[in-house]
Amino acid sequence: MDRLTPREARRIALAAQGFGRAHPPTAGRARIETVLHRLRLLQIDSVNVFERSHHLPVFARLGPYDRGLLDRMLFDPAGDRVEYWAHEAASVPKADLELFAFRMDRFRAKHGDAIAAHADLAGALLAEIADRGPIAASEVEEHPSVRQGPWWGWSDTKRVLELLFRTGDLVSAGRRGFERRYGLPEQVLGGPVQRVPAPVAVRELVRRAAVAHGVAALPDLADYHRLRSDETLVAARELEDAGELVPVEVPGWTRADGRPLLAWRHVDAAPPARLRAAALLSPFDPVVWQRDRILRLFGFHYRISIYTPAAQREHGYYVLPALVDDRLVGRVDLKSDRQAGRLLVQAAWAEPSAPSPPSETAARLAPVLRDAAAWQGLDAIEVVGAGDLAPALADVLAAR
């Protein structure tokens, strides 16, 4: 069994996620494809107070790039990606959709009563899409052929579209105005979603999670694609027997009863001797998805605050963990004031592990904020809020 120090585990995890590499002078399609391939999936979320979440993991790893290009790569129905509930709602390669067919079948079995209760509406929607081609929920309700009855309003239409989407009877056909469009599999994929047996699919998904994590405990491997723990353990043991996963112990990686967590390192993952990075991470970045994992890796307790009442928020609204080298050193609450052309730092807080004095952390994060503002076409950065890191950040930004 391998024994890793906490720092080695952190560096393996960050290197596996693509950190520690210098940002390219220009980040075109090939560089973006490299990030997408490394992560395997990109979570989709509608919150846009700073920037839509699917744009941020690529920015964190590459620096400024063409967001419109990424959107075309993700949402063009003629492209090679679709959305599915691969973690939460996420963009995945079309070729990977078959790995989630077992999830579609389980969803159908679990929610069969809801589907049967709306069978007439489901049939009307499928017929409408077969006739018209891919559509969004808002387009469907405009057509009286679908809205026939007191309960066939928009909410029921959207609900049934989502049921059919989860079962694979419909697949995503891009987005327009950030609204998902739904099409028949033959319209988007050229045929039905192929079926891969659940054990084979789970093993492949665990393999990909292991590569993406570099080093991971059992809950981490399960969470990456939202798999059951029992299935994940079987798959991890099979990959261990095949020599792809190496069991590891990391000090502090323990269960509630004090026993070590089951954990593995991917055989190709090794800790870099040095890792230099500076980035702001989306709340939906794979590095911070699993809150217990980042507590183990970084000693960083993190909860997203967008659903918390304002009076109860500790660090702000859209709070992004700040990565400097191999540590999470702070939290920055950002808002893009697009009308005024300003990037607002609404709060900035340093972690206890951050370098002292705060000006060191501020000096590493200021270029990231400048790049973020320029990337969004904003002319100025203003530190307008609270936090023990805010004064130092304001000083460094003003000094330029």
Side-chain angles (χ1 to χ4, degrees):
M1 179 176 288
D2 274 7
R3 286 174 173 80
L4 299 173
T5 68
R7 168 165 273 192
E8 287 173 330
R10 284 198 304 273
R11 289 184 173 181
I12 289 174
L14 289 168
Q17 280 286 308
F19 290 99
R21 296 164 174 80
H23 290 175
T26 57
R29 178 179 289 269
R31 295 278 191 169
I32 296 172
E33 287 283 9
T34 298
V35 173
L36 296 180
H37 179 74
R38 182 182 296 278
L39 303 184
R40 304 306 306 193
L41 48 81
L42 205 59
Q43 187 170 337
I44 308 297
D45 189 83
S46 61
V47 177
N48 196 28
V49 63
F50 164 50
E51 180 54 77
R52 292 208 189 275
S53 186
H54 66 280
H55 291 148
L56 292 176
V58 179
F59 176 72
R61 290 154 179 79
L62 296 181
Y65 70 96
D66 183 349
R67 289 169 293 167
L69 172 59
L70 177 63
D71 283 349
R72 292 191 294 275
M73 293 168 68
L74 298 186
F75 303 135
D76 183 349
D80 62 0
R81 298 185 72 87
V82 291
E83 294 175 41
Y84 193 63
W85 292 89
H87 176 76
E88 294 294 317
S91 171
V92 298
K94 286 179 177 177
D96 288 358
L97 203 56
E98 63 183 17
L99 296 175
F100 301 99
F102 76 96
R103 179 166 293 164
M104 298 173 184
D105 295 338
R106 289 177 181 177
F107 186 88
R108 186 189 304 277
K110 182 177 180 179
H111 297 278
D113 290 345
I115 295 169
H118 296 82
D120 289 345
L121 177 55
L125 287 168
L126 291 170
E128 189 82 14
I129 293 170
D131 181 57
R132 297 174 55 197
I135 53 176
S138 61
E139 295 175 281
V140 182
E141 71 169 346
E142 299 171 1
H143 291 263
S145 61
V146 175
R147 294 189 70 201
Q148 295 177 359
W151 52 276
W152 282 20
W154 187 93
S155 60
D156 288 304
T157 297
K158 176 65 174 177
R159 185 179 300 113
V160 173
L161 286 171
E162 281 296 306
L163 287 170
L164 296 172
F165 171 60
R166 288 182 183 239
T167 59
D169 294 295
L170 293 175
V171 296
S172 69
R175 286 182 177 244
R176 185 176 298 169
F178 208 67
E179 185 181 10
R180 182 187 291 138
R181 299 174 65 78
Y182 304 86
L184 300 176
E186 53 266 32
Q187 293 169 336
V188 179
L189 307 176
V193 177
Q194 299 300 305
R195 258 48 192 172
V196 173
V200 177
V202 169
R203 186 166 57 250
E204 179 59 25
L205 293 173
V206 172
R207 176 188 289 112
R208 294 180 182 197
V211 172
H213 275 320
V215 60
L218 179 63
D220 310 334
L221 294 176
D223 182 72
Y224 205 83
H225 294 103
R226 295 292 166 89
L227 303 172
R228 291 193 333 226
S229 293
D230 59 339
E231 293 178 318
T232 303
L233 178 57
V234 170
R237 292 298 194 197
E238 290 175 352
L239 293 168
E240 180 184 335
D241 291 342
E244 295 187 53
L245 298 186
V246 179
V248 296
E249 284 186 359
V250 184
W253 286 31
T254 56
R255 304 185 340 172
D257 60 8
R259 290 185 294 168
L261 277 169
L262 291 173
W264 294 266
R265 172 182 62 82
H266 189 267
V267 68
D268 295 331
R274 183 171 180 270
L275 191 144
R276 186 169 178 82
L280 295 172
L281 304 179
S282 159
F284 308 106
D285 191 292
V287 172
V288 300
W289 270 344
Q290 227 278 6
R291 308 313 194 205
D292 290 341
R293 174 177 170 81
I294 63 169
L295 185 60
R296 275 185 272 114
L297 277 172
F298 300 100
F300 190 88
H301 183 273
Y302 180 55
R303 298 293 185 270
I304 191 168
S305 301
I306 58 177
Y307 308 114
T308 303
Q312 299 175 24
R313 293 178 196 139
E314 184 176 1
H315 297 106
Y317 177 72
Y318 198 74
V319 179
L320 291 85
L323 175 71
V324 171
D325 298 333
D326 63 358
R327 292 184 179 275
L328 293 178
V329 300
R331 306 161 195 256
V332 182
D333 180 16
L334 293 182
K335 179 178 181 178
S336 292
D337 184 350
R338 297 173 180 90
Q339 186 172 2
R342 303 176 303 165
L343 178 61
L344 304 180
V345 180
Q346 303 200 108
W349 303 87
E351 286 294 291
S353 61
S356 183
S359 58
E360 291 187 27
T361 299
R364 295 294 300 278
L365 295 180
V368 179
L369 291 170
R370 293 188 185 109
D371 280 350
W375 175 57
Q376 295 203 318
L378 304 175
D379 300 322
I381 306 171
E382 294 187 27
V383 181
V384 298
D388 54 6
L389 184 58
L393 202 52
D395 289 345
V396 171
L397 290 167
R400 182 179 178 186

